Amino acid sequence: MDIPVVEKTVYAPITEEESILLAVSEGCSYGKCKFCDFANDPYKVFPLEWIRENAKYLAKESGDNPYLFLLGQNSLSLPTAHLLNVLKIVYEFFPQVNHIGMYARAKDVNIKSDHELSLLRDCGVKALYIGLESGSDEVLSLMNKGTSSSEFLEACKKLDMLGISYHLTIIGGLGGKNLSNTHMEKTAEILNKINPASIWQLKLFIWPNTPLAEMRDTGEFTELTPLEVLQEERELLSRLKVENCVFMDTTVLNKYSLIGFLPESQSSLLETIDRLIEEEIQQT
Ligand code: SF4
């Protein structure tokens, strides 16, 4: 069998860049979020034989790397039996692996029973990467995220209980001008009720040919300026009361990255943001 070719750019979280990257699916099984350009891509699940051939190929260069990431925009949506078969392949070719991560939607977590999630955890699934994007139901519904804040809470509590860590992304400016305040308040509120291992804030990027691009063009959505996004982020960060959590933003004013451990680095992160806000105001 030919080695499977993953046609699109490979997307993995920044913290998994050094992991062995094994493709199990491509695109997203939901694909309806208005801001997301993956929504334009067809969703594909790779057959086990393809995954096996790919694993055989990757094993030649994996050395003693214990980290592996299952590529695909929400691989947890695959049936548990299928995922367990994938994990058998993983251990056949990468016996040294002891930490497996993948992307998931909150709904993918909720739909699986505690027993199914425990089986996956016991087979090495230790980290899920979930797009929270916003804690505001108004914003989630405007963006057609397909998941409510209470469903996010339910998923995160379940993962806390089962000892599976989760890493969340949030999108700065996702509420636009009209909902910026509620986006910031409700996002901080939900983050303070859960225990994320990391929070990665990304500034909203409006991709061409997405429903959000159309909303912007018709005036239904007004984008924040980079300075306004940073001011929103400052407010959010000042409200966070999370423990043992990495906070990062690789899109600050479209040119800087911020990273720190919460709560220890909270004040220094805020000071840096204040300085950047001050500089930005002076330049405009
Ligand atoms: S769930 Fe994630 S990958 Fe899927 S459409 Fe929404 S933002 Fe895109």
Side-chain angles (χ1 to χ4, degrees):
M1 172 173 282
D2 292 338
I3 293 169
V5 176
V6 179
E7 287 163 17
K8 301 276 170 189
T9 311
V10 161
Y11 291 97
I14 201 166
T15 47
E16 297 271 358
E17 274 173 356
E18 301 297 316
S19 303
I20 301 161
L21 301 176
L22 181 65
V24 293
S25 62
E26 194 175 86
C28 168
S29 69
Y30 174 65
K32 294 181 193 153
C33 298
K34 291 189 180 170
F35 56 86
C36 179
D37 65 332
F38 293 120
N40 294 327
D41 298 338
Y43 175 60
K44 269 191 218 162
V45 177
F46 296 118
L48 286 173
E49 263 319 292
W50 277 37
I51 295 170
R52 205 168 183 286
E53 287 303 310
N54 200 4
K56 199 192 287 181
Y57 176 76
L58 292 172
K60 292 179 198 151
E61 309 228 327
S62 69
D64 55 2
N65 190 345
Y67 291 90
L68 183 136
F69 188 79
L70 297 177
L71 291 171
Q73 286 317 306
N74 64 329
S75 301
L76 191 72
S77 66
L78 295 169
T80 304
H82 182 83
L83 282 173
L84 291 171
N85 281 327
V86 169
L87 297 179
K88 270 191 207 148
I89 294 172
V90 165
Y91 290 112
E92 183 184 341
F93 291 98
F94 312 101
Q96 79 285 1
V97 162
N98 61 24
H99 185 285
I100 297 169
M102 70 184 100
Y103 284 121
R105 295 181 70 228
K107 268 190 159 61
D108 303 331
V109 174
N110 292 343
I111 218 163
K112 294 220 186 286
S113 67
D114 290 356
H115 177 64
E116 288 174 291
L117 289 169
S118 310
L119 281 174
L120 293 170
R121 177 202 59 203
D122 295 346
C123 287
V125 174
K126 295 202 175 143
L128 295 180
Y129 293 80
I130 305 175
L132 166 63
E133 332 299 15
S134 175
S136 155
D137 283 319
E138 250 182 297
V139 175
L140 292 171
S141 151
L142 180 73
M143 294 297 152
N144 200 28
K145 180 72 191 165
T147 314
S148 66
S149 60
S150 58
E151 286 172 309
F152 274 111
L153 260 185
E154 184 189 336
C156 295
K157 298 260 176 218
K158 202 166 167 176
L159 295 174
D160 280 339
M161 196 255 301
L162 294 168
I164 299 173
S165 70
Y166 48 94
H167 302 255
L168 304 177
T169 48
I170 56 175
I171 302 183
L174 191 62
K177 292 238 199 253
N178 288 346
L179 297 175
S180 174
N181 209 38
T182 180
H183 170 58
M184 178 278 296
E185 277 177 12
K186 297 289 178 187
T187 305
E189 219 171 87
I190 197 168
L191 290 170
N192 287 339
K193 290 183 182 161
I194 53 181
N195 298 291
S198 71
I199 301 166
W200 183 11
Q201 154 133 352
L202 291 165
K203 181 183 159 299
L204 176 67
F205 181 84
I206 304 187
W207 297 93
N209 304 318
T210 54
L212 183 56
E214 206 178 310
M215 284 161 71
R216 178 200 51 200
D217 295 346
T218 58
E220 198 188 329
F221 183 88
T222 311
E223 214 177 337
L224 297 188
T225 64
L227 173 61
E228 286 167 333
V229 174
L230 191 56
Q231 286 166 327
E232 183 191 90
E233 181 173 18
R234 201 250 175 242
E235 270 307 304
L236 174 110
L237 184 59
S238 71
R239 290 169 188 233
L240 289 187
K241 295 187 182 80
V242 292
E243 301 278 334
N244 299 321
C245 177
V246 175
F247 182 89
M248 62 184 149
D249 181 342
T250 47
T251 58
V252 180
L253 296 171
N254 298 327
K255 52 185 168 185
Y256 302 115
S257 289
L258 276 178
I259 181 160
F261 203 63
L262 301 182
E264 291 84 345
S265 315
Q266 200 149 352
S267 7
S268 63
L269 286 171
L270 286 168
E271 278 165 26
T272 306
I273 292 180
D274 285 341
R275 212 182 55 243
L276 291 172
I277 289 175
E278 201 49 47
E279 282 171 18
E280 191 66 14
I281 290 172
Q282 278 168 16
Q283 281 166 26
T284 49

